[in-house]
Structure formats: structure tokens, C-alpha cells
Amino acid sequence: MHKTINQCHQPQISSASKKTYSGLLLVGIVLGFAVLLAAQVKAQESTRSAPASDARRDMIKALEAPGPHPSLGDQARVFDRIAGTWDCDYSFRLDDGTVRHSKGELLVGWILDGRAVQDLFITYPANGEKERRIGTTIRFFDTALKQWRIVFISPQFNYVVTVQGGLEGDRIVLRGTDSTDGAPIRWSFNDIKPDSFVWRGEKSRDGGKTWKMEEEHHMKRRSG
């Protein structure tokens, strides 16, 4: 009885319905293949348009560090507070008493697994100049000397100089000898605040008894 009832209530599918169903199924399959093909073509185009990795930049990527190495301890604070990008108003005091101003930027960051700090002093082209001026400094804390040692180079002017020092009160003071004339020099970071500081470069002509300021650069931290 149950078998007879079930058979009586089964829906009867007409020949026309079967053809319609088959047609819809075929359309669905075709559309599915079309979508897959379009996705594959797009992926291939994306791969072709993606720039190839430049192995010459691998060193730059490996050079940077997210912050100071833990082994630096409290010494990390000396230069970590100036890490970042700064807009610069450079001023140079000339022998005739005039002051020449230039605009530029200073970029400071940790390198070598956080064991050293590097910066880029950049001066924008002005007065018809075609190229910017750029120099770089590398700083590290010498654990034997208990001082920060600094090397600055400016390839455009064949200039290399080394200075060393550290904190003196709230200032950072670095001393050395100018490689061009052998005169004592003193570089300092002054009035250091979260968003500004003043860098000064001085030179002595009498063995360090008196000092003449040759450079004074006002830095303001770039936001964003």
C-alpha cells in the first residue's frame, strides 16, 4: 500500500521540462568556466605587471632596524629621541658676517640590528642648482670608550670627519678635528624637544680656548 501511494504521488516530469533543465545546466557550466578563465587571466596579468624584485636593494632592506638594540640600555635614549624625519632651516655664518639660509630635511633611523644610528642631511637645490646636497652620518656607542663615535661623509665635497662624545646635561656634544684644516670642531644638539631641536657646528682657531659658530640648523619634526 505504501509503495502504491508513493508511486501515485511522484511528480511526472515532462519532456519539455527536461530540455529546459538541461539547457539551464549547460548555461551554468559555461558561465562557471568563463568566470574561472577570467580570474586566471587577471592573475597572470597581475603577475606580469608586478615589478620584479631588485636584488640591489636587498642591502638597504637588511640595513634598517625597527629600534635600538637592548644591549644599549640607557644610551639608546641619546639618539633615539631624534629618530624620524625633520624639516630643516639650515643657516651658515660666513666670514663677512652674513648668514646664508637653505631648506632641507633630516632623516634619522636605526640600522645594523639597532646597534647604530644613521642619518641623511639633505639640502634642497636652490639658486639654479640641479642636484640636492646630501651627506650621511653613522653613529655607534663604543662600549670600551663609553662614548658615541660618529663618522660623517659628504661625497660631493670629498669630506670625511670623525667626532665623538655624548650627553652633557640635556645636550649632545661631540668633539673632533676638521679634516680640511686640522682645527678643533664641536657639534651639538641643543634645546631637544619632542618636535624640535637646534644643531650647532662650531670651530676653534686657538686650540679650543674660544669657539666661533659656523652653522646653526633649526629642525622641526615632520608629522604624519
Side-chain angles (χ1 to χ4, degrees):
M1 175 65 73
H2 293 292
K3 183 176 180 181
T4 304
I5 294 174
N6 289 338
Q7 287 178 342
C8 292
H9 286 81
Q10 280 185 334
Q12 300 298 314
I13 302 176
S14 66
S15 177
S17 298
K18 289 181 179 180
K19 290 182 179 180
T20 301
Y21 177 77
S22 299
L24 292 173
L25 180 61
L26 180 60
V27 170
I29 293 173
V30 171
L31 288 174
F33 276 115
V35 171
L36 289 174
L37 180 61
Q40 184 178 8
V41 170
K42 185 176 181 180
Q44 291 175 346
E45 291 178 348
S46 177
T47 301
R48 285 195 297 267
S49 63
S53 177
D54 188 348
R56 293 173 299 179
R57 297 185 60 83
D58 289 347
M59 186 277 291
I60 301 299
K61 296 176 183 177
L63 183 66
E64 65 178 352
H69 193 276
S71 64
L72 287 174
D74 292 340
Q75 285 296 328
R77 179 180 172 275
V78 176
F79 286 106
D80 187 50
R81 53 186 169 162
I82 65 169
T85 302
W86 305 79
D87 292 312
C88 307
D89 178 11
Y90 299 122
S91 62
F92 302 87
R93 303 192 177 190
L94 308 182
D95 291 337
D96 61 3
T98 61
V99 179
R100 176 171 56 85
H101 289 272
S102 300
K103 296 294 184 181
E105 59 186 326
L106 171 66
L107 292 82
V108 185
W110 290 94
I111 60 170
L112 303 177
D113 294 339
R115 297 180 184 273
V117 179
Q118 184 170 8
D119 69 37
L120 294 174
F121 276 91
I122 298 172
T123 303
Y124 302 142
N127 302 320
E129 294 176 334
K130 295 183 178 180
E131 294 186 349
R132 64 183 182 178
R133 299 183 182 186
I134 185 169
T136 187
T137 313
I138 294 181
R139 308 174 174 88
F140 75 97
F141 184 70
D142 189 317
T143 56
L145 295 177
K146 303 299 182 184
Q147 287 191 327
W148 283 87
R149 297 177 64 183
I150 287 87
V151 179
F152 174 80
I153 66 169
S154 179
Q156 288 168 298
F157 301 99
N158 301 317
Y159 186 67
V160 181
V161 67
T162 61
V163 293
Q164 62 188 56
L167 282 178
E168 293 187 9
D170 292 331
R171 305 165 65 216
I172 303 172
V173 182
L174 310 165
R175 295 177 173 84
T177 301
D178 195 330
S179 59
T180 58
D181 57 13
I185 56 175
R186 183 170 64 190
W187 295 351
S188 60
F189 296 74
N190 308 271
D191 304 322
I192 303 173
K193 300 176 183 178
D195 59 353
S196 65
F197 70 90
V198 179
W199 188 97
R200 295 190 179 102
E202 302 168 282
K203 181 177 286 189
S204 176
R205 300 292 184 181
D206 54 11
K209 295 179 181 178
T210 59
W211 295 88
K212 177 185 177 182
M213 185 161 58
E214 296 185 329
E215 304 176 38
E216 185 176 67
H217 310 320
H218 292 257
M219 317 298 196
K220 290 188 176 182
R221 187 181 294 277
R222 187 179 299 171
S223 59

